[in-house]
C-alpha cells in the first residue's frame, strides 16, 4: 500500500489507450490505478479505497451506471466521489448520473486542464465533506457525553431525596442493561434502556422528602402521593427525543403483569422497556436497606421474584434474570461508585442543570395540578390542599359548591365550543372573587368549588356568593345565554367546630346546592340553615336560636316563578291545599306533564329534557305555584287560583317554552289537567 503523499485515483475504461492517456495527464497530481471493466473496478475499489473514481459510462458488460449503483450500496465504498466520463454532453444521461450519486461529468475528448480542474474541485469538495462529517461526529459524541452526564446528575438529584436510595437509579440501570443484553437486544437498544432506567424515578422530585423517608407504613393518601411520580415523570420527559422510549419506562415501570399496577394495563400491552425496569427496580429495592425494613438476602429477593412471576412481573424477564443470578451475576460496585463519583463532580454546568431540573419539576407538578381548560386545581389536588389546611388548629373557612344551571342546554343548542366559552367566562368571574390564598377547583364539567380559608363571617360569605351570581348573570346575558345561571351551596367551617375534611365539607355544600336546585335555582343557600331532615346527621353544627332563624328567613332571596320541591314535600303541600280549597273557595288545577320518547333507553336525553321542562315551569309561573318531578319522564304542577280553561292555556305556554329551550332536541310533551276537588277524598 502506497504512503499517500498524493491522492489515489481509480480510472475505469475498457480501452488501454485511454487509461494510459489519463495516467500521462494526471500522474503528477495523483497515484493512478486502472481497471478495464466494471467488475475489475469494484474489486480494485474494495482492495484499496481510492480517494476518487473517474469512470466511463459506456463500458461493455457492466456499464458505468451499474458500477455506480453497486458502489453506493456498499457501506465501504458509498462515500467515494465518482466522476463519470461521457462521449458527448447529454442532459438525460447527466441527470441519471446525478440521481445515481455521481458528483460531476467530463466529456471526451479530454481537455487536460479542464479535466484536472474538475477532478480537483470534486476531490476538494469531498475532502471538506469528510472533515465536516468527522467534526459533526465529534460534536455529537460531546453532546452525547454531556447528555449522559446530565442524566447522571438528574438521577443523583432524585435519589438524594431518599437517604436510603443512594445509587438506586444507577444500579437499576445496570441490572436492566444486563437483562437486555442476555435477551439479545442490540447495542443501541441496550443503551437507550440504560438511559431510560437512569431516569425511571425522575418524577419523585415532586414528592415530599418526609414521605419518601417515612419509617412506618404509608397512609392511603401518602401512597396516592407517591403514585403521582409516574405522572410527574412522564410530564418532565415527554419532549426528550434523544432517548427513544424513555416515556414508556418512566410512565409504566410500576405496571403489574396481571393488570393491577398504577395505570392498569397488563401483559404484553406493557412496553418491554418498562417490564425489564420493573424487575430490576424491585430486585435492587429488595437488596437495599429502606426506611421501613432491612434489606433482603440475595436468596430471599430471588425467591420473591419467582413467587411474583406472571402476576407482578413478566415471566420471560424473570426467567432471564434468574438465570443470570444463578450463574453468579453481580453488579460491579466499583463501576457503580465510578458513575456516582463522576456525577458528583458536576462543576458549574452540572449545578446549573440541577437548578433548572428542580424548577422544571416544579412547573410539571403545577401543570399536573390544574384543569386544562380553566387553569384551576383539579379535584385531587384541591382536596389535598384543603385537607392539609384543615390540620391546622382552629382551621375555619367557607366551602362553595357551584353548578351552572341549564349548561347542558347551551352545549346542545350552541355546540361545545360555546359551552367552553361559557365555562371560561364563569372561571373569570370566580378569579375576580377569590384571594391569592383561596383554593379554586373545577370538579368536572359545569361543577366548580371554592374554599375560602379563614372566611367564616356570614355577611362576608353572602356578599361573595351574591357577587358571583350577579357578575355571572351580566356575563351570560352579554354572551346571549339568558337561560343559564349559577346555583351555590355553602358549608361554613367555624373555628370551634370539630375537625372536617374536604369530603365532609363537599358533602354538606352539595346538599345545600341540591336544595337550591330544587327551589328555583339561580341562588345560594347555607347548609346550616337547611331543614334538619336534609342535613347529614354526622355533621355537627352550632344550633340556631329563633332570632337567628327569623333573620335567615327574612334575608332569603325572593324567588320569581314556581317552587320546585321534592316529591314527598309536594305530597304534603297537595294535601294541605286540598284540605283548604273549600275554606278558601279558590280553584286549584293540577297538571301532569309527560315526556314521550321513542328511545327511552337514552336516559341522558330524557334527564336533560325534563330539566328544561322544569326550567320552563319555574320561570313561567307565579310565585306560589308548586312543581316536582314525579318520575324520570314526568313533572307535576299545582296552579293556585286558576280555572280549567286558564290552566290549559298555562300548560300550552309551558310546553311551548320547553320547545323553545330545547330547540331541535325537543321531545314530545303531553299533559293531563284536573281540578283539585274541594273534598280531598274525591281527588
Amino acid at each position: 500500500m502506497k504512503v499517500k503523499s498524493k491522492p489515489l485515483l481509480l480510472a475505469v475504461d475498457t480501452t488501454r489507450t485511454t487509461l494510459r492517456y489519463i495516467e500521462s495527464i494526471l500522474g503528477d497530481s495523483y497515484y493512478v490505478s486502472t481497471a478495464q471493466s466494471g467488475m475489475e473496478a469494484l474489486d480494485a475499489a474494495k482492495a484499496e479505497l481510492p480517494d476518487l473514481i473517474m469512470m466511463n459510462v459506456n463500458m461493455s458488460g457492466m456499464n458505468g451506471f451499474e458500477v455506480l449503483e453497486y458502489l453506493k450500496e456498499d457501506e465501504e465504498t458509498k462515500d467515494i466521489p465518482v466522476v463519470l466520463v461521457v462521449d458527448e454532453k447529454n442532459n438525460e444521461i447527466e441527470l441519471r448520473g446525478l440521481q445515481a450519486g455521481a458528483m460531476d461529468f467530463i466529456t471526451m475528448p479530454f481537455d487536460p486542464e479542464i479535466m484536472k480542474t474538475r477532478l480537483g474541485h470534486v476531490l476538494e469538495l469531498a475532502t471538506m465533506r469528510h472533515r465536516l462529517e468527522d467534526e459533526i461526529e465529534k460534536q455529537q459524541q460531546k453532546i452525547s457525553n454531556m447528555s449522559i452526564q446530565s442524566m447522571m446528575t438528574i438521577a443523583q438529584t432524585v435519589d438524594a431525596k431518599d437517604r436510603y436510595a443512594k445509587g438506586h437509579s444507577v444500579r437499576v440501570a445496570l441490572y436492566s442493561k444486563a437483562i437486555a443484553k442476555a435477551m439479545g437486544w442490540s447495542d443501541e437498544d441496550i443503551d437507550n434502556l440504560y438511559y431510560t432506567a437512569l431516569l425511571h424515578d425522575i418524577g419523585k422530585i415532586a414528592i415530599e422528602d418526609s414521605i419518601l423517608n417515612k419509617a412506618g407504613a404509608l397512609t392511603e393518601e401518602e401512597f396516592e402521593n407517591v403514585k403521582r411520580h409516574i405522572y410527574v415523570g412522564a410530564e418532565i420527559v415527554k419532549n426528550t427525543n434523544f432517548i427513544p422510549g424513555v416515556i414508556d419506562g418512566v410512565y409504566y415501570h410500576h405496571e403489574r403483569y396481571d393488570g393491577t399496577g398504577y395505570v392498569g394495563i397488563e401483559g404484553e400491552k406493557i412496553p418491554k422497556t418498562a417490564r425489564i425496569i420493573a424487575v430490576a427496580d424491585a430486585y435492587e429495592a429488595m437488596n437495599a436497606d429502606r426506611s421501613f425494613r432491612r434489606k433482603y438476602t440475595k436468596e430471599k429477593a430471588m425467591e420473591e421474584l419467582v413467587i411474583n412471576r406472571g402476576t407482578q412481573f413478566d415471566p420471560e424477564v424473570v426467567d432471564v434474570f434468574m438465570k443470570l443470578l444463578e450463574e453468579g451475576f453481580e453488579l460491579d460496585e466499583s463501576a457503580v461508585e465510578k458513575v456516582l463519583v463522576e456525577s458528583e463532580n458536576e462543576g458549574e454546568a452540572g449545578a446549573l442543570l440541577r437548578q433548572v431540573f428542580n424548577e422544571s419539576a416544579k412547573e410539571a407538578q403545577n401543570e399536573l395540578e390544574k384543569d386544562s381548560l380553566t387553569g384551576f386545581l383539579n379535584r385531587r389536588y384541591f382536596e389535598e390542599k384543603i385537607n392539609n389546611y384543615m390540620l391546622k388548629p382552629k382551621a375555619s373557612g367557607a366551602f362553595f359548591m357551584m353548578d351552572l344551571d341549564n349548561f347542558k342546554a347551551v352545549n346542545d343548542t350552541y355546540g361545545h365550543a360555546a359551552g367552553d366559552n361559557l365555562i371560561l367566562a364563569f372561571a373569570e368571574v370566580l378569579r375576580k372573587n377569590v384571594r391569592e390564598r383561596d383554593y379554586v377547583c373545577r370538579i368536572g364539567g359545569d361543577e366548580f368549588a371554592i374554599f375560602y380559608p379563614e372566611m367564616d363571617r356570614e355577611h362576608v360569605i353572602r356578599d361573595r356568593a351574591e357577587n358571583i351570581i350577579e357578575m355571572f348573570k351580566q356575563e351570560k346575558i352579554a354572551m346571549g345565554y339568558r337561560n343559564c345561571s349559577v346555583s351555590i351551596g355553602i358549608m361554613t367551617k367555624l373555628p370551634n367546630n370539630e375537625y372536617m375534611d374536604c369530603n365532609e365539607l363537599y358533602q354538606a355544600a352539595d346538599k345545600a346546592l341540591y336544595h337550591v336546585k330544587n327551589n328555583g335555582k339561580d341562588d345560594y343557600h347555607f347548609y346550616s340553615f337547611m331543614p334538619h331532615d336534609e342535613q347529614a346527621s354526622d355533621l355537627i353544627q352550632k344550633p340556631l336560636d329563633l332570632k337567628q332563624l327569623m333573620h335567615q328567613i327574612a334575608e332569603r332571596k325572593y324567588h320569581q316563578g314556581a317552587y320546585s320541591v321534592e316529591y314527598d314535600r309536594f305530597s304534603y303541600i297537595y294535601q294541605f291545599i286540598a284540605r283548604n280549597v273549600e275554606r278558601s273557595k279558590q280553584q286549584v288545577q293540577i297538571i301532569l306533564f309527560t315526556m314521550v320518547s321513542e328511545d327511552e333507553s337514552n336516559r341522558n336525553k330524557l334527564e336533560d329534557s325534563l330539566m328544561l321542562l322544569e326550567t320552563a315551569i319555574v320561570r313561567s309561573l307565579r310565585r306560589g305555584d308548586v312543581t316536582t318531578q314525579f318520575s324520570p319522564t314526568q313533572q307535576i304542577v299545582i296552579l293556585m287560583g286558576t280555572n280549567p280553561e286558564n290552566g290549559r292555556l298555562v300548560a300550552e305556554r309551558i310546553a311551548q317554552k320547553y320547545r323553545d329551550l330545547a330547540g331541535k332536541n325537543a321531545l314530545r310533551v303531553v299533559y293531563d289537567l284536573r281540578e283539585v276537588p274541594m273534598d280531598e277524598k274525591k281527588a
Side-chain angles (χ1 to χ4, degrees):
M1 183 175 179
K2 301 179 182 67
V3 178
K4 287 191 175 181
S5 58
K6 297 185 291 187
L8 175 61
L9 180 139
L10 173 60
V12 187
D13 197 284
T14 53
T15 62
R16 189 63 189 164
T17 303
T18 301
L19 293 175
R20 286 176 180 159
Y21 181 55
I22 292 173
E23 285 182 285
S24 67
I25 296 172
L26 302 176
D28 292 339
S29 304
Y30 298 88
Y31 290 114
V32 180
S33 65
T34 61
Q36 290 186 260
S37 69
M39 190 60 70
E40 188 181 343
L42 292 174
D43 291 340
K46 294 281 284 185
E48 183 176 5
L49 291 177
D51 296 296
L52 182 63
I53 296 175
M54 178 178 171
M55 178 170 54
N56 198 324
V57 170
N58 299 313
M59 295 188 296
S60 57
M62 187 183 296
N63 64 37
F65 290 122
E66 294 170 317
V67 176
L68 182 58
E69 184 178 347
Y70 279 109
L71 288 170
K72 295 302 177 184
E73 289 176 352
D74 192 303
E75 282 295 319
E76 289 186 74
T77 61
K78 67 178 183 179
D79 293 327
I80 301 172
V82 177
V83 177
L84 295 178
V85 177
V86 293
D87 294 334
E88 59 183 12
K89 185 169 179 60
N90 185 303
N91 290 341
E92 186 177 336
I93 290 176
E94 289 189 13
L95 178 61
R96 181 182 173 188
L98 291 171
Q99 290 173 338
M103 291 190 69
D104 204 352
F105 293 84
I106 296 176
T107 306
M108 296 179 67
F110 300 129
D111 181 302
E113 291 305 317
I114 291 177
M115 180 168 65
K116 285 181 180 182
T117 302
R118 283 182 177 274
L119 292 176
H121 286 166
V122 169
L123 187 60
E124 182 181 4
L125 184 61
T127 302
M128 290 175 62
R129 187 187 70 186
H130 289 315
R131 286 176 182 168
L132 182 59
E133 288 173 350
D134 289 342
E135 186 62 29
I136 290 173
E137 186 175 349
K138 290 177 184 177
Q139 292 300 322
Q140 286 177 335
Q141 187 60 47
K142 286 182 181 179
I143 292 171
S144 177
N145 292 338
M146 288 174 61
S147 298
I148 294 170
Q149 182 62 37
S150 299
M151 284 184 285
M152 296 297 184
T153 299
I154 291 170
Q156 287 303 95
T157 302
V158 173
D159 289 348
K161 289 173 64 66
D162 185 344
R163 64 178 181 271
Y164 292 94
K166 183 178 180 181
H168 168 73
S169 296
V170 174
R171 290 184 176 89
V172 171
L174 291 171
Y175 280 130
S176 299
K177 187 174 183 178
I179 294 171
K181 187 174 181 180
M183 296 178 74
W185 283 30
S186 69
D187 290 343
E188 183 180 355
D189 288 341
I190 291 173
D191 286 344
N192 288 331
L193 172 63
Y194 175 77
Y195 302 143
T196 297
L198 280 175
L199 300 176
H200 76 283
D201 273 341
I202 191 171
K204 284 187 177 178
I205 199 71
I207 299 176
E208 295 177 14
D209 295 6
S210 60
I211 295 177
L212 293 176
N213 292 286
K214 186 176 180 180
L218 298 178
T219 65
E220 184 176 346
E221 183 179 342
E222 288 169 338
F223 182 59
E224 287 299 317
N225 196 307
V226 170
K227 286 168 65 175
R228 281 186 353 217
H229 80 276
I230 63 169
Y231 303 99
V232 176
E235 184 70 19
I236 292 172
V237 304
K238 66 182 181 181
N239 295 320
T240 307
N241 298 320
F242 69 93
I243 311 174
V246 64
I247 195 169
D248 289 342
V250 171
Y251 189 64
Y252 294 112
H253 72 275
H254 278 291
E255 293 314 290
R256 293 174 57 100
Y257 201 72
D258 61 5
T260 59
Y262 285 11
V263 179
I265 59 174
E266 62 182 330
E268 298 295 318
K269 294 178 183 177
I270 305 170
K272 197 73 170 182
T273 294
R275 284 181 266 159
I276 292 175
I277 293 174
V279 172
D281 188 25
Y283 183 76
E284 198 287 328
M286 288 187 285
N287 275 278
D289 288 329
R290 287 293 182 263
S291 58
F292 51 90
R293 60 151 176 80
R294 301 295 295 173
K295 69 178 181 180
Y296 290 5
T297 64
K298 178 180 178 181
E299 291 71 24
K300 173 64 174 174
M302 291 172 64
E303 180 184 342
E304 286 295 315
L305 291 181
V306 173
I307 290 173
N308 291 283
R309 177 187 181 276
T311 52
Q312 183 174 352
F313 306 116
D314 180 344
E316 180 190 7
V317 176
V318 171
D319 291 346
V320 170
F321 193 37
M322 289 298 295
K323 185 178 179 182
L324 282 173
L325 295 173
E326 289 167 356
E327 291 174 351
F329 171 78
E330 290 185 1
L331 286 185
D332 182 353
E333 284 300 320
S334 64
V336 175
E337 190 62 30
K338 181 182 177 183
V339 172
L340 296 179
V341 170
E342 288 175 352
S343 64
E344 288 170 357
N345 297 331
E346 58 184 15
E348 291 183 9
L352 177 61
L353 172 68
R354 192 184 294 272
Q355 180 181 350
V356 171
F357 171 65
N358 283 323
E359 292 300 319
S360 297
K362 290 177 183 177
E363 289 179 8
Q365 174 71 8
N366 289 336
E367 287 303 312
L368 281 173
E369 292 181 355
K370 295 176 181 176
D371 167 63
S372 59
L373 180 62
T374 63
F376 293 154
L377 292 171
N378 62 40
R379 184 166 180 173
R380 175 191 293 181
Y381 294 98
F382 179 70
E383 291 179 355
E384 181 180 306
K385 291 180 184 297
I386 292 176
N387 287 337
N388 288 337
Y389 169 78
M390 295 303 266
L391 293 172
K392 296 180 179 180
K394 295 188 176 181
S396 65
F399 190 105
F400 281 32
M401 186 69 192
M402 295 163 287
D403 183 71
L404 298 185
D405 310 318
N406 306 327
F407 176 75
K408 186 70 164 56
V410 173
N411 264 342
D412 291 343
T413 305
Y414 302 101
H416 288 281
D420 285 349
N421 288 335
L422 191 61
I423 290 288
L424 290 172
F426 183 63
E428 191 58 32
V429 168
L430 297 186
R431 285 191 180 90
K432 294 175 181 177
N433 283 277
V434 294
R435 305 160 299 182
E436 187 174 345
R437 66 181 184 272
D438 299 331
Y439 307 131
V440 189
C441 172
R442 185 184 180 196
I443 300 291
D446 57 349
E447 290 187 327
F448 292 79
I450 301 176
F451 182 70
Y452 295 100
E454 300 175 11
M455 185 185 289
D456 53 22
R457 295 187 178 184
E458 185 179 322
H459 71 278
V460 176
I461 299 171
R462 287 183 181 280
D463 287 346
R464 197 58 56 94
E466 288 168 4
N467 280 345
I468 291 173
I469 291 172
E470 183 58 33
M471 289 176 67
F472 181 61
K473 183 178 294 184
Q474 294 172 11
E475 286 290 330
K476 55 103 172 183
I477 290 175
M479 297 175 73
Y481 307 131
R482 294 180 174 274
N483 293 321
C484 193
S485 58
V486 58
S487 297
I488 306 175
I490 303 170
M491 173 61 194
T492 306
K493 166 66 170 68
L494 300 174
N496 58 341
N497 286 156
E498 291 187 1
Y499 169 80
M500 297 179 70
D501 62 17
C502 181
N503 186 57
E504 290 172 308
L505 291 168
Y506 174 93
Q507 294 295 334
D510 194 47
K511 289 179 184 295
L513 174 64
Y514 185 77
H515 182 87
V516 176
K517 301 285 275 187
N518 278 327
N519 286 277
K521 306 177 183 178
D522 192 18
D523 197 2
Y524 65 91
H525 196 80
F526 286 81
Y527 173 85
S528 54
F529 293 122
M530 288 170 55
H532 183 73
D533 62 349
E534 291 186 42
Q535 295 186 11
S537 59
D538 59 334
L539 294 176
I540 300 174
Q541 296 294 323
K542 184 179 179 181
L544 297 175
D545 59 29
L546 183 57
K547 181 179 178 181
Q548 289 175 311
L549 178 60
M550 292 175 67
H551 174 73
Q552 169 62 17
I553 293 171
E555 286 198 354
R556 285 291 295 158
K557 185 177 177 183
Y558 180 81
H559 283 288
Q560 293 182 345
Y563 288 114
S564 178
V565 298
E566 295 179 62
Y567 178 72
D568 287 346
R569 190 167 301 168
F570 180 90
S571 66
Y572 292 134
I573 293 171
Y574 175 84
Q575 291 169 19
F576 175 81
I577 292 171
R579 284 194 299 270
N580 287 277
V581 163
E582 184 173 3
R583 184 186 309 167
S584 64
K585 305 299 182 181
Q586 187 178 44
Q587 286 186 295
V588 179
Q589 310 299 317
I590 184 167
I591 309 172
L592 177 63
F593 289 94
T594 302
M595 313 297 303
V596 180
S597 174
E598 296 179 359
D599 181 14
E600 294 188 0
S601 64
N602 192 339
R603 185 173 180 178
N604 287 338
K605 188 171 183 179
L606 285 170
E607 289 178 354
D608 293 342
S609 294
L610 202 63
M611 178 191 71
L612 292 177
L613 177 62
E614 181 184 355
T615 300
I617 292 169
V618 170
R619 298 304 184 198
S620 301
L621 302 184
R622 305 156 302 174
R623 183 171 175 83
D625 298 330
V626 186
T627 184
T628 191
Q629 181 179 336
F630 177 65
S631 76
T633 60
Q634 293 178 300
Q635 189 85 12
I636 308 174
V637 175
I638 292 178
L639 301 178
M640 303 298 296
T642 305
N643 60 38
E645 182 178 354
N646 287 336
R648 279 188 288 274
L649 292 174
V650 170
E652 289 292 344
R653 184 168 71 241
I654 290 171
Q656 184 57 50
K657 278 187 173 291
Y658 158 73
R659 287 190 288 269
D660 292 341
L661 287 172
K664 63 180 181 181
N665 295 311
L667 299 178
R668 188 163 67 91
V669 179
V670 297
Y671 66 88
D672 184 18
L673 181 146
R674 294 175 183 270
E675 186 169 358
V676 176
M678 292 186 180
D679 182 356
E680 62 174 304
K681 294 180 181 180
K682 297 178 183 178

